[in-house]
Amino acid sequence: MLRAQDLVLDYRSGHSVAHAVNTVSLAVEGGSFIGLIGPSGSGKSSLMYLLSGLKRPTRGNVIFEGQEYSSMSMPGLMSLRRHRFGFVFQQHFLINYLSALENVMVGAVKRNHETAAYAQELLRRVGLSDKMRKRPYELSIGERQRVAVARAMVHKPAVVFADEPTASLDQATGHEVISLLAEYRSQGSGSVVVVTHDPNMLTGADRVLQMRDGQLN
Ligand code: ADP
Ligand code: MG
């Protein structure tokens, strides 16, 4: 469903070049939970940015459902991301003056009664049924991250990309967030790609890819 071929991403500053991603090929099957693990600076985030079209590779290509990113315009790629992908980051990036429910609706592509009902269902599923009207600052860090996970799923994306989603959380709360992501894959809704440096978070993954110095091994 999602395929990368010989991806290279170089960062150039002055005369020095950092090979953040160095000739990586991989395939993400539909409905799978892929873990991407490796030390800090190994290129995990860079690879995720390439797979999700947030960055253009120096060389190589990414193909999603038969379409090559390199053949798409910037707005076309933006629209693909908005409609087909969901994102969770270490920071939740919630809007402080909106309620939890309104924050989830930010991720919705269509704002109608059906989506609003689904947003509420997601918040119930992540254990926040009694906190839908709360603002982010009234929630714990773990609760905020669960709102961010619901926001990433509300438009039923084909792939949810999560970059260190548990890095600010304690182990127990981290596991809760990961199981919500794993559950999304189990329901047959889509695939999940989780980037982390903590192997404990990937016990439920279908496949774990190890990254080191820009390469998979
Ligand atoms: P990870 O997510 O595994 O910590 P990154 O993808 O963030 O790794 O970084 C991979 C490498 O690319 C590192 O050596 C990092 O210093 C370098 N890098 C990342 N972002 C930039 C940037 N914007 N400019 C220059 N170098 C960068
Ligand atoms: Mg990173």
Side-chain angles (χ1 to χ4, degrees), residues 40-41 43-46 49 90 163-164 195:
S40 178
K44 305 180 300 295
S45 293
S46 299
Y49 298 155
Q90 179 177 348
D163 192 357
E164 306 273 7
V195 167

Side-chain angles (χ1 to χ4, degrees), residues 11-13 18-21 38-47 49 55 163-164 195 211:
Y11 289 109
R12 282 167 202 286
S13 51
H19 304 290
V21 176
S40 178
S42 58
K44 305 180 300 295
S45 293
S46 299
L47 178 58
Y49 298 155
K55 270 189 184 294
D163 192 357
E164 306 273 7
V195 167
M211 197 157 195

